[in-house]
Short mmCIF file of all heavy atoms in Angstrom, two decimals:
data_model
loop_
_atom_site.label_atom_id
_atom_site.label_comp_id
_atom_site.label_asym_id
_atom_site.label_seq_id
_atom_site.Cartn_x
_atom_site.Cartn_y
_atom_site.Cartn_z
N LYS R 135 -13.53 -11.69 5.19
CA LYS R 135 -12.59 -11.56 6.32
C LYS R 135 -11.18 -11.24 5.80
O LYS R 135 -10.16 -11.79 6.27
CB LYS R 135 -12.58 -12.82 7.18
CG LYS R 135 -13.90 -13.04 7.92
CD LYS R 135 -13.76 -14.12 8.97
CE LYS R 135 -14.86 -14.16 10.00
NZ LYS R 135 -16.19 -13.73 9.61
N ALA R 136 -11.14 -10.38 4.80
CA ALA R 136 -9.86 -10.01 4.18
C ALA R 136 -9.18 -8.92 4.99
O ALA R 136 -9.81 -8.23 5.80
CB ALA R 136 -10.12 -9.52 2.76
N GLY R 137 -7.88 -8.76 4.75
CA GLY R 137 -7.17 -7.59 5.27
C GLY R 137 -7.52 -6.38 4.41
O GLY R 137 -7.96 -6.54 3.26
N TYR R 138 -7.34 -5.20 4.97
CA TYR R 138 -7.75 -3.98 4.25
C TYR R 138 -6.74 -2.87 4.50
O TYR R 138 -6.45 -2.55 5.65
CB TYR R 138 -9.13 -3.55 4.75
CG TYR R 138 -9.67 -2.30 4.08
CD1 TYR R 138 -10.15 -2.33 2.77
CD2 TYR R 138 -9.69 -1.08 4.76
CE1 TYR R 138 -10.65 -1.19 2.16
CE2 TYR R 138 -10.20 0.07 4.15
CZ TYR R 138 -10.68 0.00 2.85
OH TYR R 138 -11.17 1.14 2.25
N VAL R 139 -6.20 -2.32 3.43
CA VAL R 139 -5.32 -1.16 3.54
C VAL R 139 -6.18 0.09 3.37
O VAL R 139 -6.75 0.31 2.30
CB VAL R 139 -4.20 -1.17 2.49
CG1 VAL R 139 -3.30 0.07 2.66
CG2 VAL R 139 -3.37 -2.44 2.57
N CYS R 140 -6.26 0.86 4.44
CA CYS R 140 -7.06 2.09 4.44
C CYS R 140 -6.09 3.25 4.18
O CYS R 140 -5.37 3.67 5.08
CB CYS R 140 -7.73 2.24 5.80
SG CYS R 140 -8.55 3.81 6.03
N MET R 141 -6.04 3.68 2.92
CA MET R 141 -5.07 4.71 2.55
C MET R 141 -5.72 6.07 2.38
O MET R 141 -6.79 6.18 1.78
CB MET R 141 -4.37 4.31 1.24
CG MET R 141 -3.07 5.07 1.02
SD MET R 141 -2.52 5.04 -0.68
CE MET R 141 -3.59 6.30 -1.37
N HIS R 142 -5.07 7.09 2.88
CA HIS R 142 -5.57 8.45 2.69
C HIS R 142 -5.20 8.97 1.30
O HIS R 142 -4.06 8.81 0.84
CB HIS R 142 -4.96 9.40 3.74
CG HIS R 142 -5.43 10.81 3.55
ND1 HIS R 142 -4.80 11.69 2.69
CD2 HIS R 142 -6.48 11.49 4.07
CE1 HIS R 142 -5.45 12.85 2.70
NE2 HIS R 142 -6.47 12.75 3.53
N ALA R 143 -6.17 9.58 0.62
CA ALA R 143 -5.90 10.21 -0.68
C ALA R 143 -6.84 11.39 -0.83
O ALA R 143 -7.89 11.46 -0.16
CB ALA R 143 -6.12 9.22 -1.81
N ARG R 144 -6.49 12.28 -1.69
CA ARG R 144 -7.39 13.36 -2.12
C ARG R 144 -7.58 13.21 -3.61
O ARG R 144 -6.58 13.17 -4.34
CB ARG R 144 -6.74 14.73 -1.87
CG ARG R 144 -6.86 15.26 -0.47
CD ARG R 144 -8.10 16.14 -0.33
NE ARG R 144 -8.24 16.61 1.04
CZ ARG R 144 -7.71 17.74 1.49
NH1 ARG R 144 -6.99 18.51 0.68
NH2 ARG R 144 -7.90 18.11 2.71
N GLY R 145 -8.84 13.13 -4.06
CA GLY R 145 -9.11 13.05 -5.50
C GLY R 145 -8.81 11.67 -6.06
O GLY R 145 -8.72 10.69 -5.32
N THR R 146 -8.67 11.59 -7.37
CA THR R 146 -8.39 10.32 -8.06
C THR R 146 -6.99 10.44 -8.67
O THR R 146 -6.47 11.56 -8.80
CB THR R 146 -9.39 10.09 -9.20
OG1 THR R 146 -9.20 11.15 -10.17
CG2 THR R 146 -10.84 10.13 -8.71
N PRO R 147 -6.39 9.31 -9.07
CA PRO R 147 -5.07 9.41 -9.68
C PRO R 147 -5.00 10.44 -10.81
O PRO R 147 -3.99 11.14 -10.98
CB PRO R 147 -4.81 7.99 -10.19
CG PRO R 147 -5.56 7.12 -9.20
CD PRO R 147 -6.81 7.91 -8.87
N ARG R 148 -6.11 10.60 -11.55
CA ARG R 148 -6.09 11.53 -12.69
C ARG R 148 -6.03 12.99 -12.23
O ARG R 148 -5.43 13.83 -12.87
CB ARG R 148 -7.32 11.29 -13.58
CG ARG R 148 -7.16 11.84 -14.99
CD ARG R 148 -8.26 11.30 -15.89
NE ARG R 148 -9.59 11.57 -15.38
CZ ARG R 148 -10.21 12.75 -15.52
NH1 ARG R 148 -9.61 13.76 -16.13
NH2 ARG R 148 -11.43 12.91 -15.03
N THR R 149 -6.66 13.27 -11.07
CA THR R 149 -6.80 14.68 -10.66
C THR R 149 -6.00 15.05 -9.41
O THR R 149 -5.90 16.22 -9.08
CB THR R 149 -8.28 14.96 -10.31
OG1 THR R 149 -8.66 14.11 -9.20
CG2 THR R 149 -9.21 14.68 -11.48
N MET R 150 -5.44 14.07 -8.73
CA MET R 150 -5.02 14.31 -7.34
C MET R 150 -3.88 15.29 -7.16
O MET R 150 -3.74 15.87 -6.08
CB MET R 150 -4.67 12.98 -6.68
CG MET R 150 -3.46 12.27 -7.26
SD MET R 150 -3.40 10.59 -6.63
CE MET R 150 -1.92 9.99 -7.43
N GLN R 151 -3.06 15.49 -8.19
CA GLN R 151 -1.93 16.40 -7.98
C GLN R 151 -2.23 17.81 -8.48
O GLN R 151 -1.32 18.62 -8.62
CB GLN R 151 -0.66 15.83 -8.63
CG GLN R 151 -0.11 14.60 -7.91
CD GLN R 151 0.07 14.78 -6.40
OE1 GLN R 151 -0.70 14.27 -5.60
NE2 GLN R 151 1.08 15.54 -6.00
N GLY R 152 -3.54 18.11 -8.69
CA GLY R 152 -3.93 19.44 -9.17
C GLY R 152 -3.35 20.54 -8.33
O GLY R 152 -2.40 21.21 -8.73
N ASN R 153 -3.90 20.75 -7.16
CA ASN R 153 -3.35 21.75 -6.24
C ASN R 153 -3.77 21.39 -4.83
O ASN R 153 -4.63 22.04 -4.25
CB ASN R 153 -3.86 23.16 -6.63
CG ASN R 153 -3.34 24.20 -5.68
OD1 ASN R 153 -2.26 24.04 -5.11
ND2 ASN R 153 -4.11 25.26 -5.47
N PRO R 154 -3.18 20.34 -4.28
CA PRO R 154 -3.64 19.90 -2.97
C PRO R 154 -3.34 20.93 -1.89
O PRO R 154 -2.23 21.45 -1.82
CB PRO R 154 -2.87 18.60 -2.72
CG PRO R 154 -1.73 18.61 -3.67
CD PRO R 154 -2.08 19.51 -4.81
N VAL R 155 -4.37 21.25 -1.09
CA VAL R 155 -4.22 22.25 -0.03
C VAL R 155 -4.72 21.64 1.28
O VAL R 155 -5.80 21.04 1.32
CB VAL R 155 -5.05 23.52 -0.34
CG1 VAL R 155 -4.97 24.52 0.81
CG2 VAL R 155 -4.56 24.16 -1.63
N TYR R 156 -3.94 21.75 2.31
CA TYR R 156 -4.34 21.32 3.66
C TYR R 156 -3.98 22.45 4.62
O TYR R 156 -2.98 23.13 4.43
CB TYR R 156 -3.53 20.08 4.10
CG TYR R 156 -3.71 18.85 3.23
CD1 TYR R 156 -2.95 18.69 2.06
CD2 TYR R 156 -4.59 17.84 3.57
CE1 TYR R 156 -3.09 17.55 1.26
CE2 TYR R 156 -4.74 16.71 2.79
CZ TYR R 156 -3.99 16.57 1.63
OH TYR R 156 -4.13 15.45 0.84
N ARG R 157 -4.78 22.59 5.67
CA ARG R 157 -4.37 23.53 6.72
C ARG R 157 -3.29 22.89 7.58
O ARG R 157 -2.31 23.52 7.95
CB ARG R 157 -5.58 23.93 7.59
CG ARG R 157 -6.46 24.92 6.84
CD ARG R 157 -7.63 25.34 7.68
NE ARG R 157 -7.18 26.06 8.88
CZ ARG R 157 -7.99 26.42 9.86
NH1 ARG R 157 -9.27 26.14 9.79
NH2 ARG R 157 -7.54 27.06 10.89
N ASP R 158 -3.49 21.59 7.86
CA ASP R 158 -2.50 20.85 8.66
C ASP R 158 -2.61 19.40 8.21
O ASP R 158 -3.50 18.66 8.65
CB ASP R 158 -2.86 21.01 10.15
CG ASP R 158 -1.91 20.22 11.04
OD1 ASP R 158 -1.25 19.29 10.55
OD2 ASP R 158 -1.86 20.54 12.24
N VAL R 159 -1.74 19.01 7.30
CA VAL R 159 -1.89 17.70 6.65
C VAL R 159 -1.81 16.56 7.67
O VAL R 159 -2.56 15.58 7.56
CB VAL R 159 -0.87 17.54 5.49
CG1 VAL R 159 0.57 17.39 5.98
CG2 VAL R 159 -1.23 16.35 4.62
N VAL R 160 -0.97 16.69 8.67
CA VAL R 160 -0.81 15.60 9.64
C VAL R 160 -2.10 15.45 10.45
O VAL R 160 -2.62 14.34 10.64
CB VAL R 160 0.41 15.87 10.56
CG1 VAL R 160 0.53 14.79 11.63
CG2 VAL R 160 1.68 15.94 9.72
N ARG R 161 -2.64 16.58 10.88
CA ARG R 161 -3.88 16.51 11.66
C ARG R 161 -5.04 15.97 10.81
O ARG R 161 -5.83 15.13 11.24
CB ARG R 161 -4.23 17.89 12.22
CG ARG R 161 -5.03 17.75 13.51
CD ARG R 161 -5.52 19.05 14.04
NE ARG R 161 -6.56 19.58 13.15
CZ ARG R 161 -6.85 20.86 13.03
NH1 ARG R 161 -6.17 21.76 13.70
NH2 ARG R 161 -7.80 21.27 12.21
N GLU R 162 -5.14 16.46 9.57
CA GLU R 162 -6.25 16.04 8.70
C GLU R 162 -6.20 14.54 8.36
O GLU R 162 -7.23 13.88 8.32
CB GLU R 162 -6.31 16.91 7.45
CG GLU R 162 -6.82 18.31 7.77
CD GLU R 162 -6.69 19.28 6.62
OE1 GLU R 162 -7.23 19.01 5.54
OE2 GLU R 162 -6.04 20.34 6.81
N VAL R 163 -5.00 14.04 8.13
CA VAL R 163 -4.88 12.60 7.85
C VAL R 163 -5.24 11.81 9.11
O VAL R 163 -5.95 10.79 9.05
CB VAL R 163 -3.47 12.24 7.33
CG1 VAL R 163 -3.27 10.74 7.25
CG2 VAL R 163 -3.24 12.87 5.95
N GLY R 164 -4.83 12.29 10.28
CA GLY R 164 -5.19 11.63 11.55
C GLY R 164 -6.70 11.61 11.75
O GLY R 164 -7.27 10.58 12.16
N GLU R 165 -7.36 12.71 11.44
CA GLU R 165 -8.82 12.77 11.60
C GLU R 165 -9.50 11.80 10.63
O GLU R 165 -10.49 11.15 10.95
CB GLU R 165 -9.32 14.19 11.37
CG GLU R 165 -8.97 15.11 12.54
CD GLU R 165 -9.18 16.60 12.23
OE1 GLU R 165 -9.51 16.94 11.07
OE2 GLU R 165 -8.97 17.40 13.15
N PHE R 166 -8.95 11.74 9.41
CA PHE R 166 -9.48 10.80 8.40
C PHE R 166 -9.38 9.36 8.93
O PHE R 166 -10.35 8.59 8.87
CB PHE R 166 -8.68 10.94 7.10
CG PHE R 166 -8.92 9.84 6.10
CD1 PHE R 166 -10.04 9.84 5.30
CD2 PHE R 166 -8.01 8.80 5.98
CE1 PHE R 166 -10.27 8.81 4.38
CE2 PHE R 166 -8.22 7.76 5.07
CZ PHE R 166 -9.36 7.78 4.27
N PHE R 167 -8.23 8.99 9.48
CA PHE R 167 -8.06 7.62 10.00
C PHE R 167 -9.09 7.34 11.10
O PHE R 167 -9.72 6.28 11.13
CB PHE R 167 -6.66 7.41 10.57
CG PHE R 167 -5.56 7.27 9.53
CD1 PHE R 167 -4.25 7.59 9.85
CD2 PHE R 167 -5.83 6.81 8.25
CE1 PHE R 167 -3.23 7.45 8.92
CE2 PHE R 167 -4.82 6.67 7.30
CZ PHE R 167 -3.50 6.99 7.65
N GLN R 168 -9.24 8.29 12.01
CA GLN R 168 -10.16 8.12 13.13
C GLN R 168 -11.58 7.84 12.63
O GLN R 168 -12.25 6.90 13.04
CB GLN R 168 -10.15 9.41 13.96
CG GLN R 168 -10.70 9.26 15.36
CD GLN R 168 -9.71 8.48 16.22
OE1 GLN R 168 -8.55 8.88 16.33
NE2 GLN R 168 -10.16 7.37 16.77
N GLU R 169 -12.01 8.69 11.69
CA GLU R 169 -13.37 8.59 11.16
C GLU R 169 -13.56 7.28 10.38
O GLU R 169 -14.57 6.60 10.50
CB GLU R 169 -13.63 9.82 10.27
CG GLU R 169 -15.06 9.98 9.77
CD GLU R 169 -15.25 9.45 8.37
OE1 GLU R 169 -14.24 9.11 7.69
OE2 GLU R 169 -16.40 9.34 7.94
N ARG R 170 -12.52 6.92 9.57
CA ARG R 170 -12.62 5.68 8.77
C ARG R 170 -12.63 4.44 9.65
O ARG R 170 -13.36 3.48 9.38
CB ARG R 170 -11.42 5.56 7.80
CG ARG R 170 -11.51 6.41 6.56
CD ARG R 170 -12.67 6.06 5.70
NE ARG R 170 -13.66 7.10 5.74
CZ ARG R 170 -14.47 7.45 4.76
NH1 ARG R 170 -14.45 6.80 3.62
NH2 ARG R 170 -15.35 8.40 4.92
N LEU R 171 -11.83 4.45 10.72
CA LEU R 171 -11.80 3.27 11.59
C LEU R 171 -13.18 3.01 12.17
O LEU R 171 -13.63 1.87 12.27
CB LEU R 171 -10.75 3.44 12.71
CG LEU R 171 -9.29 3.27 12.25
CD1 LEU R 171 -8.32 3.68 13.36
CD2 LEU R 171 -9.01 1.83 11.82
N GLU R 172 -13.86 4.09 12.51
CA GLU R 172 -15.23 3.93 13.04
C GLU R 172 -16.17 3.38 11.97
O GLU R 172 -16.93 2.46 12.20
CB GLU R 172 -15.75 5.27 13.57
CG GLU R 172 -15.16 5.61 14.93
CD GLU R 172 -15.29 7.08 15.30
OE1 GLU R 172 -16.20 7.75 14.76
OE2 GLU R 172 -14.47 7.55 16.11
#
Side-chain angles (χ1 to χ4, degrees):
K135 293 192 164 30
Y138 180 74
V139 181
C140 172
M141 198 199 79
H142 178 274
R144 278 268 178 90
T146 64
R148 200 167 56 80
T149 62
M150 66 192 181
Q151 290 309 105
N153 178 29
V155 176
Y156 299 84
R157 284 181 64 187
D158 178 340
V159 70
V160 176
R161 208 186 69 206
E162 287 171 57
V163 171
E165 287 168 355
F166 167 80
F167 286 155
Q168 198 72 57
E169 188 263 350
R170 281 298 109 149
L171 285 171
E172 283 162 24

